[in-house]
Amino acid sequence: PAIVVHCVAHCHVGAMALWAVPGAGACAGSCAGADAACFEPEGSATTSRWVYTGSREGSYVPSVSYQHVPSVSYQRVGEGGGDWRQEWTTTSWGSKPRKCCLWLLPCVLLLPALVFGMLLLSGSSATKADAHSEALVKAQSMPFNCSEGGLWSLAKKNWCCKMFGRGCNALPRRQAPPPLPPPLPPPPPPPPSLPTP
């Protein structure tokens, strides 16, 4: 019998969860194969119907029975021997992810995070390299390296003291004595004496 299968595709926005019934012909693979690989229908129903083809293009002929109630049944007579054919229609509904594909979601979500992290790391190392090369250029353009220890010439001491406050004379500076406290105010005058009677 000729089998015609119609597919019913359901699309879930964001997941692109289109799936197709096996053998669905033009409907299959609407998501480049990911639909059939990662999603399956939740359920399906198969129905049949009889289609008149005429001109001996079918495989069945009708047979009418009049027992109790008239009814029609079809007998197979071979391809090109009858005027009727049977069509099968499978309708599927819903979709659910296959268990083997559930690992795919975390991988897809982690991939952009990994790329972003790699970009951040490469950017920070480039910044460190730029700062290091800038410090080398500065060190090469300075007449003295003030971070070195050892004996310094007078010119180096003066230059490092002026530019970075390093190598200045280590003699302690004399501190000015603290200011003297203000003088005490004069004592108050004695109270006036009272006349005696």
Side-chain angles (χ1 to χ4, degrees), residues 7-182:
C7 77
V8 178
H10 295 271
C11 181
H12 297 283
V13 177
M16 286 186 22
L18 290 173
W19 51 264
V21 178
C27 297
S30 53
C31 284
D35 49 356
C38 289
F39 293 93
E40 61 187 352
E42 286 187 34
S44 63
T46 303
T47 58
S48 69
R49 67 181 186 137
W50 294 98
V51 176
Y52 179 74
T53 59
S55 304
R56 301 276 180 208
E57 293 180 11
S59 303
Y60 292 87
V61 292
S63 170
V64 180
S65 169
Y66 292 101
Q67 295 176 352
H68 305 294
V69 176
S71 64
V72 178
S73 62
Y74 294 86
Q75 293 178 342
R76 181 165 173 80
V77 290
E79 196 66 38
D83 295 336
W84 294 82
R85 73 169 181 209
Q86 189 174 17
E87 268 189 7
W88 294 91
T89 304
T90 301
T91 306
S92 300
W93 62 88
S95 65
K96 59 183 178 180
R98 295 181 190 267
K99 291 179 182 174
C100 63
C101 290
L102 289 179
W103 60 267
L104 187 63
L105 181 63
C107 292
V108 168
L109 292 176
L110 286 177
L111 186 65
L114 232 155
V115 169
F116 183 70
M118 296 284 285
L119 288 175
L120 281 179
L121 287 177
S122 68
S124 67
S125 64
T127 304
K128 287 179 185 176
D130 289 344
H132 181 66
S133 63
E134 190 175 306
L136 282 176
V137 169
K138 275 186 179 180
Q140 291 172 354
S141 63
M142 293 183 193
F144 302 107
N145 184 355
C146 299
S147 62
E148 287 181 342
L151 296 175
W152 288 8
S153 67
L154 186 58
K156 182 175 179 177
K157 282 184 182 181
N158 289 336
W159 191 84
C160 290
C161 181
K162 180 180 175 186
M163 298 304 287
F164 300 106
R166 295 195 67 196
C168 301
N169 289 334
L171 297 175
R173 292 185 183 176
R174 289 189 179 176
Q175 292 182 347
L180 296 173

